Each structure stands twice: as structure tokens, then as C-alpha cells.
Amino acid sequence: MHKKHTAWTQSRKMPGINPGIKPETELFNMIYAIGSEMGTNPQIFLSGKDTLWVYYEFTCYSSELFFDEYGASMALVSEKYPVSVYGTVNESESGELIARMSQYKAEMEWIKKDISSGDFDEMLNICVKIKTPAEDIQKEFYRILCDMDYRNELLAVRRTYFLEHVFADYPQYNQDTYFRYIPMAGDWKRTSCTASLTVSQKKELWMLFLQERYSPIEFDEVWKLMEDEQRLTMFSWEMALRLALDQLGVRILYDEKNGFAVINGENKRMYYNYDSDSTAERLFLKLLFPRPYIKKGGPNG
């Protein structure tokens, strides 16, 4: 990139911040809030072993309003993970926004940079650049930001040691679910956790069932939604299942005389039962071998 020169600076008093706030959660909340305000989910890109680019294409924002809204968050996060915001300014050149705390953290400095040293306000195609101290953290951030959707009130994340520490102070939807569901907005307690799952995450749950015969609690929620005739999202579960079957080399054979057969990658038959206590098993059969709609009361209702 071209070398940028300072075009504008301003000092502001740093607002009072809860000392318990972690820079990681502040960063995730900021990215979620920008997407919600813009009405779009960003594209996420990796660069090298320590950088992420969070790109909001076809967006426009006043740089000074952006500072007003997100400057304090940028300054706080940048103490651990340097954050800057890029975009097109002055019609054709690249501009950059930086926010950083003063030495004693009582004030923050807002900085605008561009190539020509000319001040600007409007920025097009906003892009947030995040620097991390190590590649493993870069990958953790990447997975979270790729799975984040401003339309969902919960964010599903893996229960890694790093993320359990980051979100330790957040309430849990259910401590026994496979994924941890982070409240992001709205009345999240009234939302089904499965509504926030991506197809890739649903596939991961199916892989657990197919490889280990384990039925995560998430499948119980899906079954309940199906019993309540809330079937609008069922195709995504079927697609995720078929992707998992394909990855494992599992084949489904249909025979009008002998019924169906499930053959694993080692050419051995796998046996399943509609009367199983495993919700994942019943859902597996329901999606692949539909019978008349399951009535309330169980698979034999």
C-alpha cells in the first residue's frame, strides 16, 4: 500500500470503561454492531499469520461519525490487537482511521490518514484491519467472524480453552450444548440456539453422530422445532447431513424389496432405528427416509 500521511487529528477524553471488559469481546461486539448498522455481513480475509481484513462491501460512513460511534472501542481493542479502518476517500484514494489511548489512558487520539494529506469525511467500502499477536489467535478470530451474522441474536462458537476464557463472564444458553452460544442482541433467551448455526457447524454436529454415535443437545432442539411444525430451516440440516455423508464416504442404498441400507466408507452396513433414544438417529432417518410427518409424542406417534 502507498504510504499514508496524517490528514487530521483530534483528542477526546476516554469514556469510563468497565475494567472487566476484555478487548476480544469488545472487538466482536464492534464488528457485530457495524454489520447490524450497515445491514450486511462482512467478508473475512486472512493475510499472513497475524492479520485479518473485515470487509463491508458497498458501504458508506462518515469518518467522524464512525469515530463517535466506535472510536473508544477501537482505542480499547488496539491496546492488545491493533485495529484500523480503511476505505476509499476523496473519490479515489485510500484513507485510514486510527484510534489509540494516551499513555495514561485518560484520553484517546483519533487520527485520519490518506495519501494526499487532505482531510476527508465520507469513506466508502469500509474495511476493518485487525492485527493479532499469533497465528492461533488469528485463526480463532477468523472462525468467529466467519460464523457471525448480524441477523442472529446468538453467536455459536467452539468451546476452546481460549474462547471459554474470553467469554467466561457471558451467560450461557445451555452449558451442555456442543457449541457455546454467545448473546449478541435482543431477547436471546427466547431464541432457539440452532437458529444461529451455520451449515458448516451443522455438518460438524452430524460428523459427531456419524463417527461417534453421539447426539448433541442441539439435535433435541431441532426435533422439537420439527414437532412444532417449524420446518422452514430443515433443508439446511439435510444439506449439512449430506455433506457429512459425502466427506465420510457413506452411501445410501435404496431397494424397494429390502428397504434402505446405509453403507460406511469401509463397505460395512450401518444400522439405525426409528425407535432409538438418540434424537440425532431419529432425525437422520427422518431426513433421509421421510415417512408421514412425525406427530407430537415421538417417532411412532
Side-chain angles (χ1 to χ4, degrees), residues 191-210:
T191 301
S192 170
C193 66
T194 60
S196 64
L197 292 170
T198 65
V199 171
S200 293
Q201 289 171 327
K202 293 172 183 177
K203 175 188 170 185
E204 188 172 339
L205 294 176
W206 280 122
M207 295 286 284
L208 281 172
F209 166 67
L210 293 168

Side-chain angles (χ1 to χ4, degrees), residues 250-252 260-264 268-270 272 284 289:
V250 176
R251 294 174 293 132
I252 310 297
F260 69 86
V262 182
I263 310 299
N264 68 16
K268 296 179 180 179
R269 186 165 182 172
M270 305 167 72
Y272 300 100
F284 170 87
F289 313 103

